Amino acid sequence: MTKSRGIVMAGCLWLASTPVFAEGLSSGENMTTESVVAIVNGVEVTLGHMQMIYSTLPEQVQNLPADRLWEGVLEQVIQQEVLAQSEEAQETFRVRLAVENERRSRLAAEVLAEVAENATSVGAIELEYKSIYEAGAETFEYRASHILVETEEQALEIIAELEAGADFAELAAEKSTGPSGPSGGDLGWFADGQMVTPFENAVKELDREGISAPVETQFGWHVIKLFETRVKAAPSLESVYNELAANVQSRAIDNFIQGKTESAHIERLFATDVDPSAVTQIEMLNQ
């Protein structure tokens, strides 16, 4: 065969092979999850395979430009397929268990995602809002100041000075060891649950303009003065919508899992029935 004849034959073979390869790959228009994006030794890789890999990427990677994502994800899945087809690839015991675990995890995640979606209706969110903010007991906010000292004796001395007519804010600025001391001990408004329990309980027992007996907390000894109390206003539905949705979803998921578990026939070994350290002996997987 002459050199020119060889070049012509090679060109013909390339031209003949091109349509066969192109027919296997999908066009760039009207892509579906079944669209073939690569063929590795006769095994088709689809857009759906790429999309599943994309769905597991960290958010910062998902936000990369689409062309970089396409090239990177496609290269990853091609490399995985090449390695999976290699002579070195083995369907080992570890691989089988990993696939079974992944399948179980994926199925469970899909079920819970559907349960959460079905539970999150506008009506359910509104009922959650009413049960928490309209039907529940009123919650209060308090405006108070305090003077923090190291010992009960010091707190008693401060109370004696206040009873003798000393100004609370001036004493706080002079003697309080707390960060609010320079501002006269002013704590601003705070709601139920925002202060440590002994402090909160003492505030609740005070009348307006009342001064507490010494109150001990992990921070030291407090002398507290209450200025005002008010009913805490309920937040708008819009401002807590996502939080309420999470509550509804979490409760729906917990109830669904509990119901399915209670209706299932389950036999199990407890830690008291076995040597529980067996779960850490992963070398057993190398069989």
Side-chain angles (χ1 to χ4, degrees):
M1 180 183 296
T2 65
K3 182 177 180 181
S4 61
R5 180 179 173 83
I7 293 173
V8 172
M9 288 296 292
C12 291
L13 288 172
W14 183 83
L15 289 172
S17 64
T18 301
V20 175
F21 182 71
E23 287 176 4
L25 293 173
S26 302
S27 67
E29 299 177 0
N30 301 320
M31 299 281 282
T32 70
T33 55
E34 299 298 324
S35 296
V36 178
V37 296
I39 302 174
V40 182
N41 296 326
V43 177
E44 295 180 345
V45 176
T46 68
L47 178 61
H49 291 128
M50 292 181 65
Q51 290 168 332
M52 284 302 298
I53 289 178
Y54 169 80
S55 71
T56 65
L57 296 175
E59 183 177 354
Q60 62 268 30
V61 178
Q62 290 184 346
N63 291 331
L64 289 173
D67 57 342
R68 289 183 60 190
L69 278 169
W70 178 277
E71 297 298 338
V73 172
L74 184 56
E75 184 63 23
Q76 179 179 339
V77 73
I78 287 174
Q79 289 179 1
Q80 288 176 345
E81 184 58 41
V82 168
L83 293 173
Q85 293 180 25
S86 68
E87 294 180 359
E88 293 80 4
Q90 306 246 346
E91 290 279 352
T92 63
F93 183 60
R94 293 174 68 103
V95 170
R96 179 172 66 81
L97 292 178
V99 170
E100 290 174 359
N101 277 350
E102 179 63 19
R103 176 180 179 276
R104 184 185 303 113
S105 175
R106 284 285 177 178
L107 287 172
E110 291 294 325
V111 170
L112 295 185
E114 184 175 357
V115 170
E117 182 178 356
N118 292 339
T120 317
S121 65
V122 173
I125 304 302
E126 290 176 346
L127 285 175
E128 184 77 1
Y129 179 85
K130 291 178 180 178
S131 69
I132 294 176
Y133 296 108
E134 294 182 7
E138 289 182 330
T139 57
F140 293 89
E141 291 181 313
Y142 310 90
R143 189 171 73 85
S145 292
H146 79 136
I147 300 172
L148 178 64
V149 291
E150 294 181 356
T151 67
E152 183 178 14
E153 290 73 21
Q154 290 173 317
L156 289 170
E157 290 174 4
I158 287 171
I159 292 173
E161 291 186 58
L162 292 170
E163 291 175 345
D167 182 79
F168 193 97
E170 291 179 0
L171 278 181
E174 178 186 349
K175 298 185 176 182
S176 180
T177 62
S180 65
S183 59
D186 185 15
L187 295 171
W189 287 98
F190 55 89
D192 290 335
Q194 288 186 280
M195 297 295 181
V196 292
T197 301
F199 191 100
E200 180 177 303
N201 290 342
V203 170
K204 289 180 178 181
E205 293 177 0
L206 291 174
D207 296 324
R208 184 176 179 180
E209 298 295 329
I211 295 175
S212 72
V215 178
E216 184 181 18
T217 72
Q218 64 264 44
F219 305 106
W221 289 85
H222 308 257
V223 177
I224 308 166
K225 182 174 182 178
L226 176 66
F227 293 100
E228 295 180 80
T229 301
R230 67 187 181 190
V231 176
K232 184 179 179 180
S236 67
L237 174 61
E238 293 74 18
S239 67
V240 292
Y241 192 91
N242 290 338
E243 177 185 339
L244 297 174
N247 291 346
V248 171
Q249 290 177 349
S250 178
R251 187 164 57 249
I253 287 172
D254 289 345
N255 291 340
F256 184 85
I257 293 174
Q258 182 179 354
K260 288 295 183 181
T261 303
E262 290 177 350
S263 64
H265 176 69
I266 301 173
E267 299 178 35
R268 70 175 72 192
L269 289 175
F270 293 93
T272 53
D273 302 322
V274 296
D275 175 5
S277 67
V279 72
T280 69
Q281 297 170 18
I282 57 176
E283 66 276 4
M284 295 169 62
L285 296 170
N286 299 323
Q287 52 177 280

